[in-house]
Amino acid sequence: MAVKARTKYESIVTPVGLAKYPHVNTPNTRFNDQGVFSCDIFITKEEADALNLKLQPLFDAEYQNKLEELGKKKLKLSDPPVREDDDGNWVVKASLKNVLAGTYKNGNPRSAKSIAIYDSQGNPLKDTLVRGGSKVKLSVRPRFWYVASTGFGMSLDLLAVQVIELGEGNLSDKAAESFGFTEVEGGFVNGGESLEGALDAEEEEEVIKADF
């Protein structure tokens, strides 16, 4: 039985990384018919170490809480979302599951979710396909869980994407700054409202909602 952590943490913005198999425009339903948004990015070891430095205290606190709750001294641990892959690359794995409209197990209706996408200046991107090889930042929220068969783990829920350089290879009106993004000089720019202008707009209702 899966047990979800009760704490909802603040979002964290990753360093700029190279996107691998991004599914941020439309959800992937190949392995989950409820739809999954996802984007893995490659970063340097130094950047991975810095990101893990932010995540580790949260992990340690949640892990300790779960040990006390279950009355155990040790739990099996799942693979972390920021890790070295089999090829020696450091990768950040982020996703958001069950994003299509549907029904929760308790019978309540579930609204569809979307991933907010912005250019380097914070302008919303409405019709731009984000392909593999794009240089992007991710806004993610750590989430902790426990499953008896696989152990205790941490996932990074994908909230938003900032495109710094578009690779070859529905969206939110919420201000990019609310996800922790700032303007990046010389990066990809979409036509429309600037980040500064977006900050003056009235606050929109949050697109990403808790899945419980």
Side-chain angles (χ1 to χ4, degrees), residues 10 16 20 26 39 45 50 71 83 104 107 135 166-167 169 192 197 209:
E10 296 295 324
V16 176
K20 176 184 178 183
T26 57
C39 186
K45 181 182 184 304
R83 61 181 184 265
Y104 292 114
K135 292 182 179 179
L166 201 59
K209 298 182 179 179

Side-chain angles (χ1 to χ4, degrees), residues 50-116:
L51 186 54
N52 277 325
L53 199 61
K54 296 180 181 179
L55 295 170
Q56 193 63 47
L58 306 181
F59 180 91
D60 291 343
E62 291 285 352
Y63 179 65
Q64 186 60 41
N65 288 341
K66 185 56 63 177
L67 289 177
E68 295 175 1
E69 179 183 326
L70 298 176
K72 295 182 178 293
K73 294 183 178 180
K74 187 178 181 180
L75 293 173
K76 181 181 178 181
L77 300 180
S78 182
D79 291 334
V82 182
R83 61 181 184 265
E84 187 176 15
D85 67 14
D86 294 337
D87 297 320
N89 301 308
W90 284 88
V91 62
V92 179
K93 303 182 75 68
S95 64
L96 190 67
K97 299 179 180 180
N98 301 329
V99 298
L100 298 179
T103 305
Y104 292 114
K105 291 181 179 179
N106 61 10
N108 291 335
R110 183 184 67 229
S111 301
K113 301 173 185 175
S114 62
I115 295 297

Side-chain angles (χ1 to χ4, degrees), residues 34-35 59 77 85-86 98 120 129 136 142-143 151 167 184 204 211:
Q34 299 303 310
F59 180 91
L77 300 180
D85 67 14
D86 294 337
N98 301 329
S120 62
L129 180 62
V136 301
R143 176 174 51 82
V184 178
E204 299 287 343
D211 190 12

Side-chain angles (χ1 to χ4, degrees), residues 3 18 24 33 49 54 63 66 70 77 88 93 107 123 138 147-148 152 158-159 165 168 180 190-191 200 205:
V3 179
L18 202 62
V24 297
D33 59 7
D49 289 343
K54 296 180 181 179
Y63 179 65
K66 185 56 63 177
L70 298 176
L77 300 180
K93 303 182 75 68
N123 302 310
L138 307 179
V147 180
F152 182 83
L158 181 61
L159 305 181
E165 183 178 310
E168 298 176 1
N190 181 56
D200 293 331
E205 180 182 359

Side-chain angles (χ1 to χ4, degrees), residues 135-152:
K135 292 182 179 179
V136 301
K137 288 183 179 182
L138 307 179
S139 178
V140 299
R141 178 179 290 133
R143 176 174 51 82
F144 300 89
W145 46 268
Y146 172 72
V147 180
S149 59
T150 56
F152 182 83

